[in-house]
Amino acid sequence: MRALIQRVAQASVTVDNATIGQIGPGLLILVCAMPGDTENTAKALAAKIGKLRLFKDDAGKMNLSLLQTGGAALVVSQFTLAADTSRGNRPGFSGAAKPDIAKALYLHFADALRALDLPIETGQFGADMSVSLTNDGPVTLWLDTQNP
């Protein structure tokens, strides 16, 4: 799985002019399932993200995890993280998992974060979504379980 993680002061996702998910301080997680990913991959990625020390401690150093701060996560599916731009000018997306598998893994990933007792909001798989955020830092990380 691939994930683009942004530490945010706030984030929201809208579908058809209706806000379907929003958080205050925490993480916006854009996630993409790749061929070969499993429920175990999703669970391991969720555990890793929950423990990543991306939040400032009292000394201003990034020493605290989402689990330690009590922040929330907004999880949004984004198959374009699988883009192949090696040929031509139009990205190819054949490297993403098939939609039925990707949806199941996306939901499993969100559930794995919930199992860590984190407040989780989600987007809508396959929908045309508008995502709004205020990046805090800015702090942005790329995680790829196939190429750690």
Side-chain angles (χ1 to χ4, degrees):
M1 292 187 89
R2 289 185 179 163
L4 182 74
I5 303 163
Q6 296 181 301
R7 187 177 74 189
V8 298
Q10 64 77 33
S12 64
V13 61
T14 303
V15 175
D16 295 328
N17 295 318
T19 299
I20 62 169
Q22 76 181 46
I23 62 168
L27 297 175
L28 170 63
I29 306 169
L30 305 174
V31 65
C32 176
M34 308 291 287
D37 287 338
T38 65
E39 288 185 358
N40 286 337
T41 309
K43 185 176 180 180
L45 182 60
K48 174 79 171 179
I49 290 172
K51 294 176 188 173
L52 279 175
R53 298 185 311 173
L54 301 176
F55 297 89
K56 294 178 184 176
D57 62 15
D58 291 338
K61 295 191 184 255
M62 290 193 334
N63 276 328
L64 301 176
S65 70
L66 190 62
L67 288 166
Q68 293 169 309
T69 63
L74 176 58
V75 180
V76 177
S77 62
Q78 186 160 359
F79 77 93
T80 60
L81 293 177
D84 177 2
T85 59
S86 63
R87 293 178 295 171
N89 295 319
R90 182 176 180 179
F93 302 106
S94 61
K98 300 296 182 202
D100 57 334
I101 294 168
K103 182 177 182 179
L105 290 172
Y106 163 70
L107 295 173
H108 189 77
F109 173 77
D111 286 342
L113 286 171
R114 280 188 192 96
L116 298 173
D117 290 327
L118 292 170
I120 304 299
E121 295 280 325
T122 61
Q124 180 181 336
F125 185 88
D128 185 6
M129 296 176 275
S130 294
V131 178
S132 173
L133 69 131
T134 303
N135 193 313
D136 179 21
V139 174
T140 303
L141 296 171
W142 173 268
L143 299 177
D144 187 336
T145 59
Q146 294 178 5
N147 297 306

